[in-house]
Amino acid sequence: ISTRDWSSDVCSSDLMNKNESIKCTVEQCKHHACSENYCTLNSISIGTHEPNPTVAECTDCQSFVLK
């Protein structure tokens, strides 16, 4: 008997809920609209992991949730 939760493999209501204002290419995120490169959240939080960010790579989507 399999105990895998297959619901995590299903896209977040995909294109019906994609937010065209938030582009995203992180396919490992639970909120990614699988068919297109958009987020399905209404808004996201952006933060940093650096004390003094100077380039885009210093910033992070703090709304990320692993699938």
Side-chain angles (χ1 to χ4, degrees), residues 52-67:
N52 185 26
T54 57
V55 292
E57 291 80 8
C58 295
T59 60
D60 306 293
C61 178
Q62 296 180 332
S63 300
F64 173 83
V65 175
L66 183 63
K67 281 185 184 178

Side-chain angles (χ1 to χ4, degrees), residues 1-32:
I1 298 175
S2 175
T3 59
R4 181 169 179 182
D5 179 7
W6 290 100
S7 64
S8 64
D9 291 351
V10 178
C11 297
S12 298
S13 298
D14 228 6
L15 299 178
M16 287 185 60
N17 291 328
K18 77 175 180 180
N19 184 338
E20 293 184 343
S21 295
I22 305 174
K23 294 184 178 187
C24 179
T25 60
V26 183
E27 295 177 4
Q28 297 82 359
C29 183
K30 174 182 177 182
H31 306 298
H32 185 262

Side-chain angles (χ1 to χ4, degrees), residues 22-23 39 41-46 61-63:
I22 305 174
K23 294 184 178 187
C39 183
L41 294 175
N42 290 327
S43 66
I44 59 172
S45 295
I46 303 297
C61 178
Q62 296 180 332
S63 300

